[in-house]
Amino acid sequence: MTKTELITNIHKLVSNNVIGDKQAMSRYKGFRGELFLEIYMKGKYPLRKYFEGGMIISRNSKETSLDNAMYISVINKNEYTTDYIEIFTCLSAMGFEKMILVLCDEENWEMKPVMLFDSDSVTLPVPDMEIYEFLAGDNKFINTTSNIDTVLNFFESYPVRSRNSFEIAEQTFHWLRENLSQFSESQLLKIYINRLFLDGFIGFGKKKGKPSDIDMIIKNQAGKLSLIEIKEKDLPKKNKKGFGLDVPRLKDMLSISEETGLDYFLFIREINNQTDRKLLGYKFISIKDFASDVSDSETVIGGTGMRSESTVNDTLICSYHLFRNL
């Protein structure tokens, strides 16, 4: 697929599975921030190894992504290394009900219906896949199959859905085209194959609880794995000087770090404001240091993100001076 086709298909997946224009734009800004940071990290620290973080999707919990959950990582089959056995072994300490690795053959595509409506469907390119389940007790991948039902049957299906009534502005798609076209096809492919599952096969067609993801996993030269959360943020205008995380996300990140023994870091792509979005620099903090700083803090109302604007997003802000330059 060309860049134009990839961006168009990413938009089809997202725009049919969000609850409004602000939520679509929030997701698109997230994509851009993650891709920029990936380029920065690989340029500054070329000897480190970088891996797909994977998605965590609860079968039914609305409070956390970690209960009754599946962990799934979707990658290009050419990117597979035995490091993924180590990654899955570490994350298996979370007690996920199912752990899945999907290897996509990005040389072979077939047009398939991905989102089924009552009157029509969204048909998109789907790569050939090899699907492996991880057996935690033996620390190995088993049950090779190309049948996607191995993944989808974990979740209850929706009845056929009607198209949502939320309008996605043309300028939002224009913003996506303008901002993602600067990235490579391989980077855009990573977004697309992940959104096929998170917005398409699972996100659209299946009942699920709270989803979340690990943005990146890094292995340093000493062989130590670290988990990464990536945010693009400017400093708040009304609250204390610092950067925030919503409370449920903070709790999940702490739980993952404590249960697996892996360090979890929050990386910030700091921008000047929400309009110009000029890069000021990159900052980071460990999630344990973040939690320590906010332990006695009061929550503030966070941004809309992917939630409904009628709901409250309790957020804790960590002091700016505790963030180090990346």
Side-chain angles (χ1 to χ4, degrees):
M1 282 186 284
T2 65
K3 284 187 182 182
T4 299
E5 290 170 332
L6 283 164
I7 292 169
T8 298
N9 290 335
I10 290 168
H11 180 65
K12 286 180 181 179
L13 286 163
V14 173
S15 63
N16 280 293
N17 197 43
V18 291
I19 60 174
D21 188 68
K22 286 186 177 180
Q23 289 78 8
M25 182 60 82
S26 178
R27 185 163 287 170
Y28 295 161
K29 289 175 181 177
F31 294 161
R32 191 185 78 152
E34 290 175 20
L35 294 176
F36 270 135
L37 193 134
E38 178 186 355
I39 292 172
Y40 175 80
M41 289 295 295
K42 290 182 177 178
K44 187 169 183 178
Y45 304 104
L47 298 182
R48 298 180 183 180
K49 293 183 178 180
Y50 300 88
F51 304 98
E52 178 62 37
M55 300 166 278
I56 302 168
I57 310 173
S58 173
R59 191 202 304 266
N60 49 29
S61 173
K62 300 298 183 183
E63 301 300 321
T64 173
S65 61
L66 304 179
D67 292 341
N68 308 316
M70 169 189 288
Y71 172 77
I72 177 171
S73 185
V74 184
I75 64 172
N76 184 333
K77 71 174 186 178
N78 295 326
E79 295 179 348
Y80 174 77
T81 70
T82 55
D83 292 293
Y84 278 95
I85 296 176
E86 181 182 1
I87 290 168
F88 272 66
T89 298
C90 290
L91 291 175
S92 68
M94 298 302 302
F96 295 119
E97 290 191 15
K98 184 168 288 220
M99 301 183 75
I100 296 290
L101 178 67
V102 180
L103 304 185
C104 294
D105 183 353
E106 294 173 358
E107 299 297 323
N108 296 298
W109 299 84
E110 183 178 350
M111 295 298 294
K112 294 182 179 181
V114 175
M115 296 171 153
L116 300 177
F117 297 102
D118 51 3
S119 58
D120 61 351
S121 63
V122 174
T123 301
L124 292 166
V126 176
D128 287 348
M129 301 176 190
E130 296 175 6
I131 300 170
Y132 298 84
E133 184 170 356
F134 187 71
L135 190 62
D138 292 336
N139 296 337
K140 67 179 182 180
F141 293 105
I142 58 171
N143 297 344
T144 308
T145 179
S146 60
N147 187 352
I148 197 173
D149 289 341
T150 300
V151 178
L152 302 186
N153 287 343
F154 182 77
F155 304 94
E156 182 182 352
S157 295
Y158 275 116
V160 177
R161 289 178 56 172
S162 299
R163 284 191 178 274
N164 66 44
S165 59
F166 302 106
E167 292 293 331
I168 307 298
E170 177 59 32
Q171 67 189 34
T172 299
F173 182 37
H174 177 75
W175 189 97
L176 181 71
R177 289 197 305 264
E178 289 293 307
N179 282 273
L180 261 63
S181 60
Q182 62 192 297
F183 300 108
S184 69
E185 289 182 8
S186 63
Q187 286 180 294
L188 296 177
L189 271 169
K190 289 181 181 179
I191 292 178
Y192 177 68
I193 60 175
N194 275 276
R195 300 330 293 191
L196 268 178
F197 283 85
L198 202 51
D199 283 310
F201 296 125
I202 298 172
F204 183 84
K206 297 292 182 177
K207 296 180 181 180
K208 64 183 186 306
K210 191 177 182 67
S212 68
D213 62 357
I214 300 169
D215 289 330
M216 182 187 292
I217 298 175
I218 298 176
K219 191 173 192 178
N220 67 16
Q221 291 166 264
K224 184 177 181 180
L225 293 170
S226 297
L227 311 178
I228 309 298
E229 171 82 355
I230 300 169
K231 298 291 186 184
E232 183 174 277
K233 291 179 176 286
D234 59 340
L235 290 172
K237 305 300 185 291
K238 298 180 181 179
N239 303 304
K240 79 175 187 181
K241 185 178 181 181
F243 299 116
L245 276 175
D246 65 89
V247 174
R249 182 63 178 148
L250 173 59
K251 289 181 178 178
D252 282 359
M253 292 170 68
L254 278 172
S255 293
I256 293 171
S257 181
E258 290 167 358
E259 293 294 328
T260 64
L262 299 177
D263 288 331
Y264 214 141
F265 293 97
L266 172 61
F267 283 9
I268 300 291
R269 185 176 191 269
E270 184 180 2
I271 54 176
N272 62 335
N273 57 55
Q274 289 294 312
T275 303
D276 300 329
R277 307 189 79 84
K278 179 181 177 181
L279 175 65
L280 299 180
Y282 291 97
K283 304 281 188 180
F284 77 101
I285 191 171
S286 77
I287 203 62
K288 292 178 181 178
D289 287 343
F290 187 109
S292 178
D293 182 63
V294 303
S295 60
D296 296 323
S297 300
E298 294 186 1
T299 61
V300 300
I301 298 175
T304 300
M306 295 309 300
R307 67 184 175 88
S308 167
E309 293 176 69
S310 64
T311 61
V312 175
N313 188 26
D314 287 335
T315 297
L316 288 165
I317 297 177
C318 180
S319 302
Y320 184 79
H321 72 272
L322 294 177
F323 287 81
R324 292 176 284 171
N325 291 324
L326 187 59

